Amino acid sequence: SSRRHASSMIKAWKRQGHPLEKMTLGIPFYGRGRANFGDVKRFRELYGDYPSMNVTKDAVDDYSYNGHATVKWKVAAAAKTGLGGV
C-alpha cells in the first residue's frame, strides 16, 4: 500500500477502537500495474526490465511498488504508533 493508504488505515483502525498492536503493515516485494491492476511483476522482474529504475521512488513506467523511502516510512510508522510490526 502507499503511505497515504497505510496512514489512513492506521487512523481508521485506531478510530474504531481496535488494538494497534494487532495491526501490521505489509511491504510488497512486487510491482503492480497502474493501468492494469492485475499486471503484477516481482521486484526482480521489474529491475530486470528497468535496470535504471530508481528504487527510492515508488513507481517505474506503469508499475507501482514500495521503494526504500516508503519501506523506511512504514517501519517508522509502525514503531511510532505501536503497531504489531511490518
Side-chain angles (χ1 to χ4, degrees):
S1 65
S2 66
R3 293 183 201 193
R4 183 176 56 183
H5 185 255
S7 181
S8 69
M9 289 297 98
I10 293 169
K11 289 174 186 172
W13 190 267
K14 187 175 182 178
R15 187 174 52 249
Q16 293 171 13
H18 299 298
L20 292 178
E21 66 273 7
K22 299 283 186 178
M23 181 182 189
T24 61
L25 293 176
I27 299 175
F29 292 96
Y30 58 87
R32 191 172 287 282
R34 290 184 280 195
N36 178 2
F37 198 66
D39 186 9
V40 177
K41 288 188 178 187
R42 292 178 299 168
F43 199 80
R44 172 194 274 177
E45 293 174 294
L46 282 175
Y47 195 71
D49 291 348
Y50 305 98
S52 63
M53 72 186 269
N54 185 344
V55 295
T56 63
K57 304 291 183 188
D58 286 338
V60 63
D61 194 25
D62 187 45
Y63 292 90
S64 295
Y65 54 88
N66 284 174
H68 290 172
T70 298
V71 171
K72 287 180 182 180
W73 179 88
K74 284 184 174 184
V75 170
K80 180 179 176 183
T81 58
L83 300 184
V86 291

